[in-house]
Amino acid sequence: MAVSTVDSVSKYDTGEAMCPYRLVLEHVTSRWGVLVLIELLDRPYRFSELRRSIGRVSEKMLTQTLQTLERDGLVHRDAKPVIPPRVDYSLTDLGREAAEQVRGLAVWTQKRLDAVQEARERYDAAKAGAGSSEE
């Protein structure tokens, strides 16, 4: 019987059954995957537009990210047979669903960044106060 929801998957399950799930999660939450998905929520993009919009991503990494997300069924690649060639990238229904989830996490991160920074400062101060006793 197949597992149908994340809630029914044990967080301690490290067996082979988790590998496909984890792989998709890695693709969706990767550094560039997150940014591609969020950006494509607005509208379809041509490769160069998407690269400029995301910023600081190499052509190779963006190509790999788009191919991975396309393979997972999250991104649609529409190559038009014109000269010069035109390729547009957009989200599939599945990709839009994933992108909405990722954007929710990104919005939460932005809203709670101050609290995270405060926690980091407390942690660093406590570590500095403890000295090197843990080494």
Side-chain angles (χ1 to χ4, degrees):
M1 185 172 194
V3 175
S4 60
T5 65
V6 173
D7 293 337
S8 62
V9 176
S10 169
K11 65 181 176 181
Y12 302 107
D13 182 1
T14 58
E16 292 297 317
M18 287 296 291
C19 288
Y21 161 79
R22 288 183 182 176
L23 192 57
V24 172
L25 188 60
E26 283 179 25
H27 297 164
V28 170
T29 61
S30 71
R31 177 180 184 180
W32 303 117
V34 166
L35 297 175
V36 166
L37 290 171
I38 290 172
E39 203 60 42
L40 288 176
L41 268 171
D42 291 335
R43 64 177 177 85
Y45 278 86
R46 294 178 74 175
F47 183 89
S48 57
E49 289 179 309
L50 188 57
R51 186 167 178 226
R52 275 192 305 274
S53 181
I54 290 172
R56 294 183 25 199
V57 61
S58 70
E59 195 169 311
K60 178 182 177 184
M61 281 308 306
L62 183 55
T63 298
Q64 288 176 352
T65 300
L66 287 166
Q67 287 173 344
T68 298
L69 295 174
E70 182 183 7
R71 182 171 183 257
D72 287 345
L74 306 177
V75 168
H76 173 72
R77 181 180 185 271
D78 182 21
K80 294 182 176 42
V82 295
I83 298 177
R86 179 183 173 111
V87 180
D88 293 309
Y89 294 92
S90 60
L91 293 175
T92 63
D93 289 343
L94 188 62
R96 182 161 297 285
E97 191 177 330
E100 293 285 353
Q101 299 297 318
V102 170
R103 181 171 57 184
L105 182 58
V107 167
W108 175 87
T109 303
Q110 187 175 24
K111 284 181 182 176
R112 302 300 289 160
L113 190 57
D114 288 342
V116 170
Q117 188 59 40
E118 289 171 14
R120 287 176 176 173
E121 290 168 5
R122 284 191 306 274
Y123 178 89
D124 292 347
K127 280 294 215 186
S132 58
S133 61
E134 291 185 31
E135 291 180 22

